[in-house]
Amino acid sequence: MTTEAYHALLPPKSPQQGVLVWIWKNLFNSLSNSLLTLIVLWIVYEVATGAIRWAIIDARVAPANFRECIDAGGACWAFIQAKWRLILFGTYPYDDQWRPALALILVVVLVVSSCFPASWATQERRRWLFGLWLVGLGVIGVLMAGGFGLSHVEVRFWSGLPLTVMLASVGMVSCVFVSILLALGRRSEMHVVRWVCVAYIEVIRGVPLISLLFMANIMLPLLLPAEVNIPNILRAQIAFIMFFAAYMAETIRGGLQAVPQGQYAAAKAMGMGYWQTMIFIILPQAMRITIPSMVNLFIAGFKDTSLVIVISMLDLLGTANAAKADPTWLGLFAEAYAFVAVIYLTVCASMSWYSRWIERRIAARQQH
Amino acid sequence: MNQISAYPIISLRNVSKWYGNLHVLRDINLDVHEGEKIVVCGPSGSGKSTAVYAINGLEAYQQGEIFVGGVKVSEADGTAHDLRKHVGMVFQQFNLFPHLSILENCCIGPMKVKGIRREEAEARAMEELTRVRIADKARKYPETLSGGEQQRVAICRALCMSPRVMLFDEPTSALDPEMVGEVLDVMTGLSERGMTMIVVTHEMGFTRRIADRVVMMESGEIIEAVPPEQFFDRARCNPRVGAFLDQIMHA
């Protein structure tokens, strides 16, 4: 077939093509639309130029002092340069702050290496990964708390980013396990198990996270005998796990319901018991279905760790608040918040990017 | 005909089952001997699938007894769970595990239920897959296979457990017509190797070829259980069988 003959078979070219035509057709096709377009463009222009002026043009970096910053009228990055260690590591002893820094790097290495499906591909690699985590967590524990020649640092001094990351990562990993059990319990044929799970989920979902944190911090010590002393970081951690497990359980239940009955029948017919059926057949399918909503919860959970501020623990947001209290830099806070916002945004965006990547990967693998 | 042993490997004695007030199995009695091939047919809703599901304990029954290899099938005593390891099942909708490759579908049962080592389980699976001409797709995932291929894999998956009995619940009903033949061929091959089979199907050509007995069910009852020569002989057969055959032939 000649090119001309081939082109003759295609639908006729639309006479309206090109960027300008598109803009005209979609943004200026009526008086009100044209007006809206112009207003939006003006807002975008103002915000963008304002932000650039504040963050870059009028901004001052060290060695500028407080006065020079204020006179320039822009962001005072010198403030962040002076305070970044306080914001990142909070009240952790200044000279030992390389320890939480190293611990954070270790966490990132562990998490990133577990994120590649290739790390899970064979039994041997799974064992390696598991071993790596055990050793890694041990090293992190020593780095944070001391021992093996490192000075002892009390848990109440752990703060800033390490605290946020710890609350979030330990919380979410435990949460997944607790919520799987809750979701299975809610679908159990044993009445007592089912009712306990339903009651738990409904009660926790009906209570705000803040009140749960207060309960864990203030009520729990009153209820327990005096000699039982649980550090408040652990109490907050438990409150988080309890809270998010209830939500996650409902998400996982949705995933379980989406797995066809035939899958249960096929597993059962093969002689698999309840737990084998769940672990090898049902949960892997249910969890894949729930990836988007799980990541949604992970992101919410990561940010909600900042609520520990109400029980006077200094997470990343708490240390940012502490930084702005310094009289030398009095009145500056936007820079500190911008700094932690970038950290939060980086972590949350990576999580959501990773979830989309893994979804695409699963879809591609099962369809080729 | 294949050799048929003396004691029944499957035995249903006065089995009855209700869904609420609906009496779905009425006093079912059937003995199946080792090596025997039984075809179960009947109009939809007649209880054929339910009866087959009851044999490996996927459906509970309220009255009577079912024995497999001399052991009573009972969920309460835990025997149903053990018996299922020896009874293979093929479903109408294939029910392959979509998150596992074809090879993993065939290996997961032997490995997790019987504790067979991976290498051994994979070797066995490849042998079965080769026999049904799907070995080249062992690393693919179920969704990428045609219905006929999926059903052949489902048969392999059941066979990898080395069952003593194979149950088929309408194995070709969900298939496009051009794929029915390839699945029936695999099942015919299996019957020639002496497997004990209970097949729920309306494929009458296949029934004529392999069945030792044809069981016809209607409204939860077995109304006929005779060799195919007699089943298909209009002069001798039950008039209700005749009416049913007329219906499916004209469909």
Side-chain angles (χ1 to χ4, degrees):
Chain A
M1 195 186 284
T2 64
T3 330
E4 289 77 22
Y6 176 71
H7 279 296
L9 293 174
L10 294 171
K13 269 189 185 171
S14 162
Q16 296 162 328
Q17 276 179 340
V19 182
L20 284 174
V21 177
W22 185 90
I23 289 175
W24 186 252
K25 263 178 67 184
N26 289 285
L27 302 179
F28 294 96
N29 55 347
S30 71
L31 186 64
S32 58
N33 266 4
S34 307
L35 208 61
L36 278 175
T37 304
L38 289 175
I39 291 173
V40 169
L41 279 178
W42 176 73
I43 293 173
V44 169
Y45 170 80
E46 284 296 315
V47 170
T49 51
I52 289 170
R53 204 180 315 120
W54 179 78
I56 298 167
I57 299 172
D58 292 343
R60 289 294 175 269
V61 293
N65 61 25
F66 178 69
R67 207 54 269 156
E68 290 162 13
C69 276
I70 296 297
D71 292 342
C76 185
W77 298 127
F79 167 53
I80 299 298
Q81 283 164 300
K83 292 291 173 190
W84 67 275
R85 284 180 64 169
L86 173 65
I87 296 175
L88 285 184
F89 303 116
T91 51
Y92 203 90
Y94 195 80
D95 291 334
D96 281 329
Q97 283 179 359
W98 60 273
R99 284 158 54 178
L102 198 57
L104 273 177
I105 293 171
L106 258 175
V107 170
V108 171
V109 168
L110 285 175
V111 169
V112 169
S113 60
S114 321
C115 279
F116 291 103
S119 320
W120 300 79
T122 63
Q123 186 95 39
E124 204 192 349
R125 285 189 205 168
R126 283 194 289 270
R127 277 200 201 114
W128 265 100
L129 197 62
F130 187 70
L132 204 65
W133 268 97
L134 277 188
V135 175
L137 288 177
V139 173
I140 289 169
V142 171
L143 279 171
M144 293 299 291
F148 294 97
L150 295 173
S151 59
H152 178 65
V153 176
E154 268 185 65
V155 176
R156 64 196 166 93
F157 293 119
W158 301 8
S159 41
L161 189 57
L163 179 67
T164 296
V165 167
M166 199 181 72
L167 281 174
S169 55
V170 174
M172 282 167 207
V173 171
S174 331
C175 219
V176 170
F177 290 104
V178 176
S179 59
I180 286 174
L181 292 178
L182 278 172
L184 292 178
R186 183 153 190 179
R187 285 167 61 83
S188 168
E189 283 167 12
M190 289 178 272
H191 294 284
V192 179
V193 173
R194 190 171 65 239
W195 283 112
V196 167
C197 291
V198 169
Y200 176 86
I201 290 169
E202 293 308 330
V203 166
I204 296 288
R205 284 203 305 172
V207 173
L209 176 55
I210 288 194
S211 60
L212 210 59
L213 284 170
F214 270 124
M215 291 267 284
N217 198 42
I218 296 160
M219 298 285 286
L220 207 61
L222 297 178
L223 298 176
L224 291 173
E227 56 271 23
V228 181
N229 185 21
I230 310 173
N232 69 343
I233 192 169
L234 192 60
R235 290 198 300 259
Q237 182 78 77
I238 291 170
F240 266 111
I241 296 170
M242 285 175 66
F243 184 78
F244 277 100
Y247 282 89
M248 210 174 271
E250 287 297 279
T251 302
I252 292 175
R253 186 167 72 101
L256 289 173
Q257 276 168 343
V259 177
Q261 279 301 315
Q263 296 289 311
Y264 291 86
K268 202 173 177 189
M270 209 177 250
M272 287 193 179
Y274 177 80
W275 289 108
Q276 284 182 327
T277 303
M278 287 304 162
I279 291 169
F280 300 118
I281 307 300
I282 306 301
L283 281 170
Q285 297 183 51
M287 297 306 275
R288 270 162 216 211
I289 299 167
T290 57
I291 288 175
S293 8
M294 292 288 271
V295 172
N296 199 22
L297 281 175
F298 284 165
I299 289 173
F302 181 74
K303 289 182 299 178
D304 281 358
T305 52
S306 53
L307 284 174
V308 291
I309 204 160
V310 304
I311 54 169
S312 50
M313 287 171 65
L314 289 176
D315 76 320
L316 186 57
L317 197 61
T319 52
N321 274 329
K324 73 179 192 198
D326 186 336
T328 349
W329 305 91
L330 205 60
L332 295 175
F333 57 88
E335 293 81 356
Y337 288 144
F339 180 65
V340 299
V342 167
I343 296 175
Y344 277 114
L345 186 63
T346 311
V347 175
C348 294
S350 325
M351 281 197 268
S352 101
W353 174 84
Y354 176 70
S355 91
R356 267 173 297 153
W357 180 74
I358 205 94
E359 272 177 78
R360 272 201 308 276
R361 196 177 174 282
I362 289 170
R365 197 173 67 153
Q366 289 190 1
Q367 278 151 27
H368 293 290
Chain B
M1 285 298 133
N2 297 296
Q3 284 218 312
I4 291 170
S5 79
Y7 83 96
I9 183 163
I10 292 175
S11 182
L12 287 81
R13 298 252 173 276
N14 311 105
V15 174
S16 276
K17 177 181 173 68
W18 287 262
Y19 283 129
N21 289 327
L22 193 65
H23 202 166
V24 284
L25 294 179
R26 294 166 192 265
D27 200 25
I28 301 286
N29 282 286
L30 182 70
D31 281 347
V32 181
H33 293 267
E34 192 129 34
E36 215 181 354
K37 292 107 189 65
I38 305 286
V39 167
V40 185
C41 60
S44 63
S46 60
K48 344 177 264 292
S49 297
T50 313
V52 169
Y53 272 62
I55 292 174
N56 70 347
L58 288 181
E59 287 272 9
Y61 53 96
Q62 281 90 35
Q63 262 176 29
E65 288 169 314
I66 297 177
F67 296 93
V68 175
V71 181
K72 191 182 167 190
V73 181
S74 154
E75 202 67 51
D77 304 343
T79 52
H81 177 71
D82 288 330
L83 286 171
R84 284 194 279 263
K85 296 175 195 168
H86 307 292
V87 180
M89 177 100 187
V90 175
F91 299 87
Q92 185 176 354
Q93 300 295 343
F94 332 135
N95 294 350
L96 292 180
F97 305 131
H99 62 298
L100 300 178
S101 72
I102 299 305
L103 187 61
E104 288 165 335
N105 261 279
C106 294
C107 291
I108 189 145
M111 283 168 59
K112 302 300 178 193
V113 176
K114 298 179 110 180
I116 291 172
R117 285 187 308 122
R118 177 179 288 275
E119 301 77 53
E120 228 172 289
E122 285 187 351
R124 171 71 196 277
M126 287 311 289
E127 207 176 289
E128 294 292 347
L129 289 171
T130 308
R131 207 191 318 250
V132 301
R133 304 181 312 281
I134 299 197
D136 55 325
K137 300 197 167 156
R139 302 278 167 195
K140 299 219 167 220
Y141 285 79
E143 278 173 40
T144 63
L145 269 57
S146 73
E149 288 171 328
Q150 290 193 42
Q151 194 60 299
R152 284 186 277 155
V153 172
I155 295 173
C156 284
R157 177 176 71 174
L159 288 175
C160 283
M161 291 291 288
S162 311
R164 294 179 63 193
V165 184
M166 284 283 282
L167 308 176
F168 296 83
D169 178 30
E170 307 209 29
T172 58
S173 305
L175 294 176
D176 290 334
E178 75 271 19
M179 293 171 183
V180 170
E182 64 192 61
V183 171
L184 293 181
D185 284 347
V186 168
M187 291 168 63
T188 307
L190 187 59
S191 77
E192 282 160 3
R193 284 186 279 148
M195 177 61 76
T196 310
M197 293 161 68
I198 300 181
V199 186
V200 176
T201 186
H202 288 167
E203 296 292 338
M204 288 303 143
F206 170 79
T207 304
R208 254 183 237 272
R209 237 179 7 257
I210 73 136
D212 294 315
R213 269 187 297 159
V214 185
V215 171
M216 167 138 176
M217 290 184 67
E218 200 180 82
S219 315
E221 275 177 307
I222 293 182
I223 59 167
E224 192 75 291
V226 293
E229 310 83 67
Q230 195 179 334
F231 188 82
F232 291 109
D233 184 344
R234 294 303 173 92
R236 282 193 292 167
C237 77
N238 184 324
R240 286 197 278 173
V241 172
F244 170 72
L245 286 177
D246 283 342
Q247 266 174 6
I248 61 167
M249 297 305 178
H250 292 138

